[in-house]
Amino acid sequence: MPTVHRFAAYRVVIYPNDHQPAHVHVIGGDGEAVFNLNCPAGPPTLREAVGFKPGELAKIKAELTEHVAALCAAWSRIHGYS
């Protein structure tokens, strides 16, 4: 599971054998969340979360929004899309 971005105490990962739509898993502390990226320009939307407080999810979404183009490019690279 490649880590494609890190910030604060969080890792953003994309599983190579995962399914569409393009999405990332955010892991940190006692939580994990999945955000659909809505490529190519976002904004990311929360699909599911366990263990994160609402304020943490807001910070995570803001970070993903800032880097959505790079995250979409990573998804394409990992899954072999051009």
Side-chain angles (χ1 to χ4, degrees), residues 37-71:
L37 294 173
N38 297 312
C39 295
T45 54
L46 179 65
R47 189 169 80 199
E48 58 190 272
V50 174
F52 287 129
K53 295 177 181 170
E56 288 178 288
L57 290 170
K59 290 178 185 177
I60 292 167
K61 182 176 179 176
E63 180 75 14
L64 297 179
T65 299
E66 185 177 334
H67 297 280
V68 71
L71 295 171

